[in-house]
Amino acid sequence: MSEKVRTRLEELDDFEEGSQKELLNLTQQDYVNRIEELNQSLKDAWASDQKVKALKIVIQCSKLLSDTSVIQFYPSKFVLITDILDTFGKLVYERIFSMCVDNRSILPDHFSPENVNDTAKETCLNWFFKIASIRELIPRFYVEASILKCNKFLSKTGISECLPRLTCMIRGIGDPLVSVYARAYLCRVGMEVAPQLKESLNKNFFDFLLTFKQIHGDTVQNQLVVQGVELPSYLPLYSPAMDWIFQCISYHAPEVLLTEMMERCKKLGNNALLLNSVMSAFRAEFVATRSMDFIGMIKECDESGFPKHLLFRSLGLNLALADPPESDRLQILNEAWKVITKLKNPQDYINCAEVWVEYTCKHFTKREVNTVLADVIKHMTPDRAFEDSYPQLQSIIKKVIAHFHDFSVLFSVEKFLPFLDMFQKECVRVEVCKHIMEAFIKHQQEPTKDPVILNALLHICKTMHDSVNALTLEDEKRTLAHLINGFIKMVSFGRDFEQQLSFYVESRSMFCNLEPVLVQLIHSVNRLAMETRKVMKGNHSRKTAAFVRACVAYCFITIPSLVGIFTRLNLYLHSGQVALANQCLSQADAFFKAAISLIPEVPKMINIDGKMRPSESFLLEFLCNFFSTLLVVPDHPEHGVLFLVRELLNVIQDYTWEDNSDDKIRIYTCVLHLLSAMSQETYLYHIDKVDSNDSLYGGDSKFLAENNKLCETVMAQILEHLKTLAKDEALKRQSLLGLSFFNSILAHGDLRNNKLNQLSVNLWHLAQRHGCADTRTMVKTLDYIKKRSKQPGMNHLTELALRLPLQTRT
């Protein structure tokens, strides 16, 4: 040997890092960790410019692919080590590519060897010579295959010349398992760097077919005996590699190629392993049209080592994606199910049944689906076999639901609910129930009162509700409540309102732990009361009056069980409005009193979407809505004038407001607006068939006097608060509140009253006193007063405008 070759060999041979000895007797996880360490070592060696060391690591790792001492781990090992090879190939390619780039030119993506400089070519050749010096066949093959793409730097035909040579090299690998994975790697690399050279890949495949009988040879059988591995466990190890090879060949292949493959399978005695890979690789449409041919081939297969049920599973997967000829559909199902139903092992059975359920749902009626479900129950119930197959059983449920959008048909499938009973692990059962409810909400177009649907879905919703406990996350509770609410909204008994209310009563007892569901039920019952009013056109009979009172009572009983305080407040107000609309005056009073008595319990901070926020703005909004309702609420004959308004004012007065907050004064301003509206001869709005205070008192002087007293009390509170703001840090707030109060008097007060007129002038001056007012706003306000003064009966505003000076900023 020349000195140069000898040096190369010595360089590659004296390296022990990552050697096979070092990886003996490791557990699977330790092995994986060690391979990952070697991958990192490769990158580190390359980064520190130790290129020979990097090559040695790759060689030693490739040598591990000749080791089949733990044969069932081989596919995993192949994936781990080819990952290192891919890293190496990428590093070498990028290194040579970078040598072609200088300040003057950048190599284009689709370059030709003429664009590559001599230094890069020399380096590239050096890599190939180094690899050619590797003594052992397997590492030499894998390392060269990993840098196959680098042939582009040397010649246009480099890759097309290398592929056949590498294909022939694989013939020297004696172990068929090692050989098939080597072919898979070559196919993968070849498709990546030269997809146009499919002929070379096909040659690789035909070589494989010629050596396929080795699998059943004495050498392999002896090896399996030594390792204690059965043939049914050994043969599936070939599937990943074979599937990849077939996919490379079948990619964009014409249909005629499938016919050719089927003929080759027949010549090889319909080998099950080969047939399985053919069905997995080719387009589902091609396989589906030849379903009966494949079934005939499956029947003639030798079952030793690769059982027929796996072949039927592969066929079923294709038929889920593409439809067979209509005339063959029933025969295909019968042939497949004949084999599946005879399977004794529950795991084998359910893996096949899961696939064929979709085919049955797609092409047949509920009768056939019921038969299939009954068969699954029969196979999976003994010895509680279903406990080990929940994912497959869930998949079956999803497939059935996906094809039966009419839930009256779905729940009339006799074995559907017994099938559900197999899900006895709570978390799985709840997930299945959620899938059913999601499908119902998505596909149910019309409201239903079908007793079959209602009973089944109530049972499903109850299962979901009963899974809620102290540890259930808020998100999960929200999801469950949303699904149950979706069901409740879709239930309608038409004009049978009593039946509808009975359903809501039953639902309340069943779903008492989910607050959003109770809220939905209260809204639903309120809507039911309003629908009754609509049907009766507001003229309730004795029967309907009793019914709406029953609805009101339902809400009054249910609201206190809720936790959210603003939820309760708003529902009391809403339900009170519904009671008022239905002429249930005493019940409406009860709702409003309950709301008033609840206000002192409002905490300073409330939880909004997981964050604590001040509650005053929410309380202000609620009270403004409340005041709007109180305008039309008639006084109770036994409780005196404006009883509810007085109670509410007392509560507002006693409530502990924030120190730096003006919300209390804003609320008092809203009260003034209410009292102003109540002093009108005719109110701005009414509720049909309910006499408000304008009708009851008819502008009575005593009523107006009481109203005025309340106004004076409230105004005194506002003025007192304005005085407390006469401090440097609060002057801006004082100005804003003063102008706001001025605007309220302007909009709602009678400015012919001298006291009120003088108060408004004082407030105007207060707003401008310390130069905190917004001049633009003051100018616009004064313009508005001057415009209004020109309207009939508004002459008194002319004098007012003269008394409202504008101060300049200076």
Side-chain angles (χ1 to χ4, degrees), residues 264-277:
R264 286 182 175 272
C265 285
K266 285 176 184 173
K267 284 178 185 174
L268 287 166
N270 288 332
N271 184 281
L273 185 60
L274 207 54
L275 195 56
N276 190 60
S277 292

Side-chain angles (χ1 to χ4, degrees), residues 203-420:
K203 184 174 184 292
N204 185 5
F205 169 68
F206 294 134
D207 267 11
F208 163 68
L209 287 184
L210 291 172
T211 59
F212 188 72
K213 291 179 181 176
Q214 280 183 296
I215 291 175
H216 300 285
D218 291 342
T219 311
V220 172
Q221 298 302 323
N222 294 339
Q223 189 183 15
L224 295 182
V225 170
V226 170
Q227 293 196 33
V229 176
E230 298 289 332
L231 199 60
S233 303
Y234 173 68
L235 288 182
L237 300 177
Y238 285 81
S239 291
M242 287 173 63
D243 289 350
W244 181 263
I245 294 169
F246 273 93
Q247 279 173 20
C248 290
I249 291 165
S250 63
Y251 183 65
H252 288 321
E255 197 169 351
V256 68
L257 184 62
L258 176 57
T259 309
E260 186 185 338
M261 290 293 176
M262 290 171 74
E263 290 303 319
R264 286 182 175 272
C265 285
K266 285 176 184 173
K267 284 178 185 174
L268 287 166
N270 288 332
N271 184 281
L273 185 60
L274 207 54
L275 195 56
N276 190 60
S277 292
V278 170
M279 286 192 287
S280 301
F282 280 88
R283 282 176 57 188
E285 294 83 355
F286 296 171
V287 176
T289 54
R290 294 168 169 74
S291 297
M292 288 310 299
D293 294 336
F294 275 109
I295 286 175
M297 292 170 73
I298 292 169
K299 280 182 176 178
E300 293 171 16
C301 273
D302 176 15
E303 269 203 282
S304 63
F306 203 91
K308 285 183 183 178
H309 67 83
L310 292 180
L311 297 173
F312 274 108
R313 187 176 191 280
S314 296
L315 180 60
L317 288 169
N318 280 291
L319 295 179
L321 300 171
D323 299 336
E326 197 166 340
S327 56
D328 294 341
R329 287 175 187 174
L330 184 59
Q331 192 181 351
I332 290 168
L333 180 64
N334 289 336
E335 292 290 349
W337 210 259
K338 223 185 283 179
V339 174
I340 296 167
T341 197
K342 287 177 185 171
L343 294 172
K344 297 284 185 277
N345 183 310
Q347 205 58 45
D348 291 343
Y349 171 83
I350 197 65
N351 285 338
C352 275
E354 174 205 351
V355 172
W356 282 89
V357 161
E358 184 161 8
Y359 175 77
T360 313
C361 293
K362 209 172 177 184
H363 300 298
F364 299 96
T365 64
K366 70 174 189 178
R367 187 172 71 87
E368 287 81 4
V369 172
N370 191 57
T371 306
V372 169
L373 292 182
D375 197 60
V376 174
I377 294 169
K378 178 183 159 190
H379 277 78
M380 301 308 293
T381 305
D383 301 324
R384 299 178 68 84
F386 54 79
E387 290 182 343
D388 300 320
S389 306
Y390 283 138
Q392 292 92 331
L393 295 173
Q394 276 180 276
S395 173
I396 289 173
I397 281 281
K398 286 179 189 175
K399 286 167 182 174
V400 172
I401 294 167
H403 289 90
F404 284 84
H405 295 163
D406 185 341
F407 277 75
S408 58
V409 174
L410 178 65
F411 291 127
S412 64
V413 174
E414 188 185 338
K415 294 296 180 181
F416 184 77
L417 290 178
F419 189 89
L420 272 186

Side-chain angles (χ1 to χ4, degrees), residues 444-557:
Q444 185 71 25
Q445 301 296 323
E446 298 293 326
T448 182
K449 62 176 181 178
D450 186 324
V452 174
I453 294 178
L454 295 192
N455 288 333
L457 291 184
L458 273 174
H459 170 69
I460 287 165
C461 288
K462 183 81 170 86
T463 301
M464 294 195 300
H465 170 270
D466 291 349
S467 70
V468 174
N469 56 42
L471 300 176
T472 306
L473 297 172
E474 287 303 316
D475 276 355
E476 178 68 4
K477 286 182 185 176
R478 267 195 292 272
T479 302
L480 296 177
H482 169 72
L483 295 172
I484 296 171
N485 284 344
F487 163 60
I488 288 168
K489 289 177 192 173
M490 292 305 296
V491 175
S492 172
F493 290 90
R495 286 292 185 89
D496 191 347
F497 292 163
E498 290 182 354
Q499 184 68 35
Q500 190 81 34
L501 183 59
S502 297
F503 170 75
Y504 292 144
V505 170
E506 184 184 358
S507 297
R508 180 177 61 187
S509 65
M510 291 176 81
F511 310 127
C512 55
N513 288 336
L514 287 170
E515 183 157 315
V517 177
L518 294 178
V519 171
Q520 176 61 47
L521 287 169
I522 292 166
H523 284 307
S524 297
V525 171
N526 277 328
R527 188 169 67 248
L528 188 60
M530 294 307 288
E531 282 177 11
T532 308
R533 178 181 183 276
K534 185 179 175 183
V535 168
M536 300 303 292
K537 297 179 181 173
N539 299 309
H540 283 300
S541 64
R542 177 182 281 180
K543 185 178 179 182
T544 59
F547 177 74
V548 293
R549 282 197 295 274
C551 291
V552 167
Y554 177 102
C555 297
F556 194 74
I557 292 165

